[in-house]
Amino acid sequence: MLKSFLKLFEESHNKAKPAYTIELATAALLSELVNADNQVTQTEKDEYKKQLKRLVNVDDEAIALLLEQGQETADDAVDLVHFTQVLNKHYSADEKVSVIKSLWAIAYADESLAPLEESTIRQIADLLYVPHSQFIKTKLEIAEVLIGTAMDPFHWRRNGP
């Protein structure tokens, strides 16, 4: 009797549809970063759209819907785990690193890095099992490309974020 109950539970659990699609989970994570420092700029919004287009393969109409749904989903979320679980199931290690690169691009879009933005990216990287070395490497790559300066470790202390 117990075995048949467990089998039924397992079958229904396996058939359960995931709460979020890969595209929506990705959009929500990117949206979380846009709102991380409570100072949303147009350049961050533009970069969010650009990075979402780069990460998901959908048409412009779907992107517009994803941008809106990603924002709403992120606003309603209690934590980031539900989104990262979806990506962990479906993304390769390289695809996860690509998400981290997109997060850094959004963070640096306004040419400054708020501590909350960096903290949010670190949390997402941890939840995606991206090694710390890769987290730092992508940060330096994006900062150099977007800001045009090689990151020296004392730059932020001297000049502020």
Side-chain angles (χ1 to χ4, degrees):
M1 177 73 167
L2 183 58
K3 283 183 182 182
S4 62
F5 176 73
L6 289 174
K7 184 177 179 184
L8 179 63
F9 177 76
E10 186 177 289
E11 287 174 2
S12 69
H13 180 58
N14 288 341
K15 290 180 184 177
K17 188 177 178 183
Y20 305 107
T21 63
I22 298 167
E23 295 82 8
L24 183 56
T26 303
L29 285 174
L30 297 180
S31 180
E32 277 291 331
L33 189 69
V34 170
N35 297 314
D37 64 356
N38 296 319
Q39 295 177 347
V40 180
T41 65
Q42 188 59 46
T43 55
E44 287 176 325
K45 288 180 182 179
D46 294 343
E47 192 64 31
Y48 169 40
K49 181 177 182 178
K50 177 182 169 185
Q51 293 303 319
L52 187 59
K53 277 182 153 180
R54 187 179 72 76
L55 291 170
V56 299
N57 188 20
V58 295
D59 61 27
D60 287 341
E61 188 177 314
I63 284 290
L65 184 60
L66 263 178
L67 290 167
E68 184 180 321
Q69 287 182 335
Q71 179 69 48
E72 290 172 8
T73 303
D75 288 346
D76 294 341
V78 176
D79 61 28
L80 303 172
V81 173
H82 293 81
F83 308 132
T84 57
Q85 283 178 337
V86 173
L87 300 189
N88 280 329
K89 286 181 184 175
H90 300 285
Y91 276 3
S92 68
D94 289 340
E95 289 169 320
K96 292 176 195 179
V97 169
S98 188
V99 170
I100 300 302
K101 283 183 181 181
S102 291
L103 292 168
W104 284 122
I106 293 168
Y108 281 119
D110 58 1
E111 296 184 359
S112 67
L113 179 63
L116 276 171
E117 290 173 325
E118 185 167 10
S119 174
T120 301
I121 298 171
R122 175 72 258 167
Q123 183 182 11
I124 293 169
D126 285 344
L127 291 169
L128 291 176
Y129 308 112
V130 172
H132 187 70
S133 60
Q134 193 66 49
F135 165 80
I136 297 298
K137 181 180 178 188
T138 57
K139 176 184 179 180
L140 297 176
E141 285 174 6
I142 297 299
E144 190 170 348
V145 169
L146 294 181
I147 298 177
T149 176
M151 296 288 294
D152 104 52
F154 303 107
H155 172 77
W156 294 108
R157 287 189 215 142
R158 285 195 304 262
N159 302 320

